[in-house]
Amino acid sequence: MSDHVYKKIQLVGSSSTSTDDAIRNAIARASETINNMNWFEVVETRGHIENGQVSHWQVTIEIGFRLND
């Protein structure tokens, strides 16, 4: 078994629906250009408030991926 090298990047996903949707949006967009994604970690969650209601979610995640051999 060969040794692998991994890299982590930080992304911010957004959604007007939910935090889960914000995470999925970030991962889906990243998957268009990043190969070998293996895991994600939620770093921060925040939202925008309008008229006393949550109107938008932003979730900062770190994605780990294996560099090509």
Side-chain angles (χ1 to χ4, degrees):
M1 179 176 183
S2 61
D3 295 328
H4 298 291
V5 175
Y6 296 87
K7 180 173 179 74
K8 289 191 339 182
I9 60 168
Q10 196 170 77
L11 302 171
V12 179
S14 63
S15 171
S16 58
T17 306
S18 68
T19 56
D20 286 352
D21 200 39
I23 293 166
R24 291 178 198 282
N25 289 341
I27 291 172
R29 177 63 180 89
S31 72
E32 294 176 12
T33 56
I34 299 171
N35 297 320
N36 305 319
M37 290 191 300
N38 294 107
W39 72 88
F40 75 92
E41 176 182 351
V42 174
V43 178
E44 182 177 40
T45 304
R46 61 187 168 274
H48 179 72
I49 301 170
E50 286 184 15
N51 300 319
Q53 301 290 322
V54 175
S55 65
H56 209 83
W57 296 94
Q58 287 185 329
V59 180
T60 303
I61 62 173
E62 290 185 346
I63 292 182
F65 61 96
R66 183 177 44 81
L67 298 179
N68 290 334
D69 294 331

